[in-house]
Amino acid sequence: MLLNRPSLTRLAALAASAAILVTACGGSTATQSPSAAAAAAAAATPTAAAATAAATPSPTPLITAAPISNDQPGPNGGVVVRWFVGLGTGGQPQQIATQQQVVNDFNNSQKDVYISLEIQDNKVAGNILKTEIAAGNAPDIIGPVGVEGLNLFIDQLADLQPLIQSQNFNMTKFDPSLANFFKMGKGGATIGVPFAVYPSFIWYNKALFDEAKLPYPPTKVGDLYQGKPWDMDAVRALGMKLTVDKNGNDATSANFDPNNIVQWGFDMQWADNSPLAESSLFGASSFLAPDGKTAQVADSVKTGETWFDNGVWKDHFIPNQNQINSDLLAKGNEFQSGNLAMDETHTWYACCVNPAPPAKPIVKSFGWAIAPSYNGKITAKLHADTFAMLKSSKHPDAAFKALAYLAQSGALLTAYGAYPADPSLVQGYKDGVDKQYPDSKLDWSVPQQMLGYVDIPNHQSWVPDYAKAKAAWQAFGTGYRTSASFDVSAELDKLKATLQGIFDAAPDKNP
Amino acid sequence: MSASTQALRHLPAPARRSRLRPSVREALWGFGFVGIWIFGLLVFTAGPMIASLVLSFTDFNMVRPEAVTFVGIDNYVRMLGDPSISASLIATVKFAVITIPVTMVASLGFAVLLNQPSLPAKGPLRALVYMPMMIPLVASTLVWMGFLNTDTGWLNGILRALGLAGPDWINSDVWVYPALSIMGLWGIGNFMLINIAGLQSVPTELYDAAKIDGAGRWQSFRRVTIPMISPVLLYNLVIVLIGTFQYFTQAYTMTNGKGDPNNATLFMNLVLYREGFVFNHMGYAAAIAWLLFVIVLILTLVLFWFSRSRVYYAGGDR
């Protein structure tokens, strides 16, 4: 068949136009645009266990199948409840399989509720959830999510207390302080149920202590260290002895070269440049006064941040930002590098002492010690993960039924590597970590003891316009780590003024 | 010959086609081809621009969508007293003052160097200068951060070997601009290629004439080359200027979006991004976007106005 030239041109033009249109409008792939990816990367890591997700390489921005509409019954005939995963942990391949299995088990076990699982990559999840909320297409359940994640979405979270009562959810099995921990919503609303907790304490590298012929720090509250109280002064003295330059001199030596340090004594790794997190060792506090509108900087923050600043620039036993970013400290995973003797961090760090295979572990054996005291008082900051419900849920009863199931799942706790809030589930977690680090012979009484000394108010507790306020205090945290001439006291005064401005302008006043 | 072909040959020409004048038909074809582009422009560019203009007069917050209210020009007024806006303008200007000359001079310098007739292996050398453009910005930024690390970076290592104390490139609010400008040298490949194209379009008889008149190499370059490639230089300058005001990826990667040290890398795009996507103040972020647009537009117009007496168009067209 012959076609004349104009017809051929017309056909080609039509085909090209169609191709361009399809390319331009095609949106069904999971590929993220560079701007979306960049945007998501900057989103705050809103959960305690997000550090796990961030530290472990994720192969792809994984996305499950599009969620089923909750306007119609699910495949099992039940009310569809959408579960959104990604604000914290939950994105690793093995976790996806477990989550899917947990959901399948639930969906097959009854016909009232159908959970539709929606997993987003941690880097983009926050922005995707915001977009879904703005578009009126929010999920029913979010989680696992930490306190910061709850803060960021606090306006959208449902009060679970009426559902806890109406569905007889057993809260008595939890430690009372944990049972009340999530009463942090608007008007004291309960916005989560206890699921996973992450107490903090000292992680120490046994090899570095052995090399310096120093005894390990205490594992029992009240024990002394070398005949003296295990307090912040002891940490400073010990930290200096464990800080070594390239010539082998420690930081207490007159010949110590602070420009060529190869091993540091102490740090609080991955504390998110938060002054509240660092100074929690000196006492818990919030930047928000009890009146819910006034900015404050507690004395414990001034003392704590001065201690850290001196530790970095005067005593040199805490690394500065350049040193943290260097290869010597594994570009931020300081304890994993084998060049940090003591690290105050949470149980979630069990994820990351060893590098991802095929790299070989550098820290062969480590131990846990109790958090040091200040003025005779121990404060061990706490992270916690939970599941929360959005108040926009069309089926709150069904959603809570699903939430209660997820919050009591031992399989999920194991998959997330989370320390269970439910004491009856703790043994499984311990076994998993012991198996991961057989040479360390960890003292499990340490995290258990530290649960009795959690920071109240929590260092991540809500303040108005949380994300912007956090950026302000992070700027302070970065400032003293990057500049030797940083005036901690003056900068804290400035920070207080800045926070007051943010609180005053915030749309979300006292919850 | 098949029956169908015969049938086609006997079909009368479409009546409509015969009624249209050729110029109209041509115009319709043109619109047909650009129609897709116009559709894309309206839906994917003009639409969001209008939406962002509307949003800039609201307090739209992505996590409180139900509470959106019209706030008039409050967002624009707020910018006047926002320290992050003034900090970002200062940071952008400081960076522009260093990086624009560095980029322009370096790209022209490499172009002149790699356009020398006597230079062997010009092709591979040009490819070498261009190649860093192929590396994703995030990856190259991470590499540069390692290179510029005060304690363990190669640059300071080299300086130490020469007996010099290297600066704190990344964490000093003074040195971070030269550091970013040095990083930017990996991105001059495009400008270099455009300059080479410009250099190759300069008629050789002009150089011959200049030589006869006694001009040296520098005078030839200054009096012949620069005027002849001034439209190309203007184009590069406009693009570099716009790029400087839209600077984002490197600063974001270096500081995780925080603008460290001491807000020195808090460029306007970073402020916009943080307000919109981190702090959820989408209405305010839209206002910042429009401020950025207006600033870049004004600067570009000023540049074009200034270029009227500085740029030589051989064909007479501007």
Side-chain angles (χ1 to χ4, degrees):
Chain A
M1 183 172 111
L2 291 174
L3 289 174
N4 59 19
R5 198 171 178 80
S7 304
L8 268 174
T9 315
R10 213 172 294 160
L11 272 177
L14 271 175
S17 305
I20 292 167
L21 195 60
V22 168
T23 309
C25 301
S28 60
T29 63
T31 311
Q32 300 294 326
S33 71
S35 57
T45 345
T47 182
T52 313
T56 316
S58 176
T60 51
L62 53 97
I63 311 285
T64 46
I68 297 172
S69 165
N70 54 8
D71 293 331
Q72 295 171 347
N76 69 349
V79 172
V80 172
V81 168
R82 283 173 55 199
W83 172 28
F84 183 99
V85 177
L87 293 174
T89 191
Q92 296 304 308
Q94 64 275 29
Q95 293 174 331
I96 295 167
T98 304
Q99 287 165 156
Q100 193 60 63
Q101 188 57 51
V102 167
V103 166
N104 290 344
D105 290 347
F106 178 81
N107 290 341
N108 295 333
S109 68
Q110 43 74 55
K111 294 182 177 174
D112 298 330
V113 182
Y114 181 88
I115 300 178
S116 172
L117 178 59
E118 178 182 348
I119 304 175
Q120 303 289 356
D121 184 272
N122 175 255
K123 293 184 180 69
V124 296
N127 279 339
I128 288 175
L129 182 58
K130 285 177 201 171
T131 311
E132 290 187 353
I133 290 170
N137 183 34
D140 299 279
I141 300 170
I142 57 171
V145 57
V147 176
E148 290 208 319
L150 295 174
N151 288 339
L152 296 174
F153 294 99
I154 202 160
D155 290 302
Q156 300 296 328
L157 302 179
D159 183 3
L160 302 181
Q161 195 55 43
L163 294 160
I164 288 170
Q165 286 169 343
S166 65
Q167 296 196 21
N168 296 319
F169 183 81
N170 181 10
M171 294 287 276
T172 59
K173 62 184 173 184
F174 304 113
D175 184 287
S177 63
L178 287 179
N180 292 323
F181 186 80
F182 290 106
K183 286 184 176 174
M184 53 176 69
K186 292 209 163 185
T190 301
I191 52 177
V193 294
F195 173 63
V197 289
Y198 306 90
S200 65
F201 40 85
I202 300 283
W203 298 54
Y204 62 91
N205 184 328
K206 288 181 180 174
L208 302 187
F209 274 78
D210 294 344
E211 188 180 50
K213 297 187 172 55
L214 288 165
Y216 300 147
T219 56
K220 300 278 182 292
V221 172
D223 281 0
L224 301 178
Y225 184 74
Q226 293 187 309
K228 291 181 181 173
W230 175 238
D231 58 13
M232 296 310 293
D233 288 337
V235 171
R236 174 180 172 272
L238 183 57
M240 290 178 71
K241 286 178 189 167
L242 288 160
T243 300
V244 182
D245 68 14
K246 70 175 182 184
N247 298 315
N249 299 313
D250 71 49
T252 63
S253 161
N255 297 323
F256 178 71
D257 178 4
N259 294 319
N260 284 293
I261 304 173
V262 294
Q263 176 185 306
W264 287 263
F266 176 80
D267 201 3
M268 185 183 281
Q269 181 184 327
W270 290 344
D272 221 6
N273 292 111
S274 164
L276 289 179
E278 290 179 342
S279 64
S280 65
L281 287 167
F282 295 80
S285 68
S286 168
F287 283 127
L288 185 65
D291 65 7
K293 55 187 177 186
T294 307
Q296 64 175 14
V297 175
D299 288 343
S300 60
V301 176
K302 290 177 184 165
T303 308
E305 291 304 89
T306 303
W307 186 91
F308 269 86
D309 184 54
N310 287 338
V312 175
W313 301 109
K314 194 173 150 196
D315 299 327
H316 305 292
F317 68 93
I318 302 174
N320 64 36
Q321 197 62 49
N322 263 326
Q323 292 161 341
I324 291 170
N325 293 343
S326 72
D327 293 333
L328 268 176
L329 288 172
K331 289 185 165 56
N333 194 343
E334 303 168 49
F335 194 72
Q336 186 194 78
S337 73
N339 294 323
L340 181 69
M342 292 184 287
D343 182 14
E344 206 279 348
T345 190
H346 298 259
T347 44
W348 47 250
Y349 188 61
C351 67
C352 306
V353 179
N354 289 343
K360 295 269 187 336
I362 299 168
V363 179
K364 308 285 185 204
S365 178
F366 64 90
W368 288 344
I370 57 167
S373 64
Y374 177 71
N375 284 345
K377 188 179 176 190
I378 295 173
T379 308
K381 63 189 166 70
L382 182 74
H383 284 171
D385 275 354
T386 188
F387 296 94
M389 258 175 62
L390 299 192
K391 62 186 179 189
S392 58
S393 174
K394 293 173 189 167
H395 312 290
D397 287 313
F400 187 77
K401 186 177 177 183
L403 183 149
Y405 168 79
L406 298 172
Q408 296 174 94
S409 166
L412 287 180
L413 283 162
T414 305
Y416 299 150
Y419 192 97
D422 181 349
S424 68
L425 300 171
V426 168
Q427 192 55 49
Y429 171 75
K430 289 179 181 175
D431 294 343
V433 176
D434 283 338
K435 193 176 168 188
Q436 198 177 352
Y437 303 106
D439 297 332
S440 292
K441 299 188 172 43
L442 299 167
D443 185 340
W444 284 95
S445 72
V446 171
Q448 198 59 48
Q449 289 175 84
M450 290 303 96
L451 280 174
Y453 297 90
V454 300
D455 55 336
I456 301 171
N458 187 264
H459 62 288
Q460 295 180 320
S461 53
W462 180 88
V463 299
D465 203 348
Y466 188 86
K468 190 157 190 173
K470 182 183 173 184
W473 71 62
Q474 280 184 317
F476 170 90
T478 310
Y480 90 80
R481 289 269 181 161
T482 52
S483 172
S485 57
F486 195 82
D487 184 339
V488 169
S489 180
E491 292 295 333
L492 280 174
D493 289 342
K494 271 195 221 169
L495 175 62
K496 185 179 168 186
T498 303
L499 289 174
Q500 190 61 63
I502 293 170
F503 296 169
D504 291 343
D508 53 342
K509 294 282 193 314
N510 187 5
Chain B
M1 188 178 294
S2 68
S4 59
T5 310
Q6 280 182 337
L8 274 173
R9 284 193 163 190
H10 288 91
L11 277 175
R16 195 166 58 117
R17 189 198 288 177
S18 64
R19 280 206 299 270
L20 291 175
R21 281 180 296 154
S23 59
V24 175
R25 208 161 56 228
E26 192 177 331
L28 284 176
W29 271 105
F31 281 121
F33 280 116
V34 299
I36 299 296
W37 180 83
I38 291 173
F39 175 80
L41 178 76
L42 291 175
V43 175
F44 300 116
T45 303
M49 281 182 74
I50 294 165
S52 76
L53 184 62
V54 173
L55 279 181
S56 73
F57 296 107
T58 71
D59 62 353
F60 180 58
N61 184 315
M62 286 180 79
V63 292
R64 299 159 56 88
E66 69 284 351
V68 61
T69 52
F70 179 76
V71 296
I73 59 168
D74 279 7
N75 286 330
Y76 292 92
V77 174
R78 182 178 157 193
M79 278 192 276
L80 297 174
D82 186 342
S84 64
I85 296 292
S86 49
S88 72
L89 282 171
I90 291 168
T92 306
V93 169
K94 280 183 179 175
F95 178 52
V97 165
I98 296 175
T99 201
I100 293 177
V102 166
T103 305
M104 294 298 292
V105 171
S107 61
L108 181 60
F110 272 109
V112 170
L113 189 69
L114 297 176
N115 196 44
Q116 293 299 313
S118 55
L119 185 74
K122 279 199 281 282
L125 287 172
R126 286 172 188 170
L128 268 179
V129 178
Y130 188 84
M131 266 165 69
M133 291 285 297
M134 311 300 286
I135 300 171
L137 269 180
V138 173
S140 68
T141 305
L142 293 174
V143 170
W144 275 103
M145 282 180 70
F147 182 75
L148 295 169
N149 188 291
T150 309
D151 298 314
T152 58
W154 286 18
L155 183 54
N156 277 9
I158 294 166
L159 292 174
R160 269 195 296 273
L162 297 172
L164 300 168
D168 192 348
W169 295 98
I170 308 286
N171 295 315
S172 156
D173 52 12
V174 173
W175 283 100
V176 73
Y177 300 113
L180 289 171
S181 299
I182 293 171
M183 286 166 63
L185 289 176
W186 267 20
I188 63 167
N190 270 344
F191 302 123
M192 181 199 71
L193 286 185
I194 294 167
N195 281 333
I196 287 176
L199 289 170
Q200 290 178 347
S201 68
V202 180
T204 52
E205 53 266 34
L206 292 180
Y207 293 115
D208 295 339
K211 200 171 179 181
I212 290 166
D213 288 345
R217 296 185 73 166
W218 168 246
Q219 281 181 312
S220 285
F221 180 73
R222 192 175 158 214
R223 303 287 183 193
V224 177
T225 308
I226 294 291
M228 291 303 289
I229 66 166
S230 56
V232 168
L233 294 176
L234 174 66
Y235 170 80
N236 280 348
L237 185 58
V238 170
I239 299 298
V240 172
L241 182 76
I242 292 172
T244 304
F245 273 83
Q246 293 185 337
Y247 200 70
F248 177 79
T249 308
Q250 294 92 326
Y252 174 80
T253 308
M254 269 176 57
T255 68
N256 202 18
K258 293 177 190 166
D260 299 326
N262 197 22
N263 286 343
T265 62
L266 193 65
F267 299 109
M268 282 207 76
N269 249 357
L270 203 55
V271 174
L272 188 163
Y273 164 78
R274 292 206 318 172
E275 287 291 347
F277 294 95
V278 181
F279 307 154
N280 303 319
H281 305 153
M282 200 54 84
Y284 187 49
I288 295 172
W290 277 93
L291 173 69
L292 182 60
F293 172 73
V294 170
I295 289 173
V296 172
L297 181 68
I298 290 171
L299 286 174
T300 308
L301 290 175
V302 167
L303 214 52
F304 274 102
W305 176 81
F306 185 72
S307 73
R308 287 190 305 177
S309 57
R310 295 284 186 276
V311 175
Y312 171 71
Y313 293 92
D317 293 331
R318 290 175 189 273

